[in-house]
Amino acid sequence: MRTDLDLVTNPFDIAEITRADFVGYYHPREIVADPLLTIARKRALLARWLSDANALPNAPALRRSPAGVTATLDEIRLALDKLDEMVEAIVLAGGGQTSGIAA
């Protein structure tokens, strides 16, 4: 049985991220909206996209995902902020405690 807390803390969702994980996402908000991904997996994907390793040459405010989609730092950070709001909503709804949440 899957609980709200599983949506945040499933340890299997922080496994290695590959280019294939980004195929089909054309904006960071699409990762946030994907109902098949846990919050932990969404956070891992967005963190990978945000990495300096994905910065475009001569355009440090832009990041290209491993699948080749370009987004601004602000768009990716906004998506991460939305995930934080989702975690807070789960905690406030009584779906988990703040300790132990991989946020």
Side-chain angles (χ1 to χ4, degrees):
M1 179 177 186
R2 191 171 191 178
T3 66
D4 286 343
L5 191 55
D6 289 335
L7 296 174
V8 180
T9 61
N10 188 342
F12 299 106
D13 285 333
I14 56 173
E16 183 179 345
I17 295 171
T18 66
R19 179 188 181 282
D21 292 313
F22 288 92
V23 172
Y25 297 111
Y26 300 100
H27 194 278
R29 72 175 162 260
E30 293 177 355
I31 292 174
V32 173
D34 189 333
L36 300 178
L37 298 175
T38 65
I39 292 174
R41 188 66 174 173
K42 292 174 185 185
R43 185 176 306 284
L45 288 169
L46 291 169
R48 170 78 187 274
W49 197 343
L50 188 62
S51 169
D52 286 344
N54 294 317
L56 295 180
N58 302 318
L62 297 177
R63 297 290 189 268
R64 181 168 289 140
S65 77
V69 177
T70 302
T72 67
L73 288 174
D74 289 340
E75 290 169 334
I76 301 169
R77 287 184 182 134
L78 186 63
L80 286 165
D81 289 344
K82 183 65 176 170
L83 290 181
D84 289 340
E85 292 173 13
M86 293 168 75
V87 170
E88 288 176 21
I90 290 169
V91 171
L92 290 175
Q97 298 175 2
T98 55
S99 62
I101 290 181

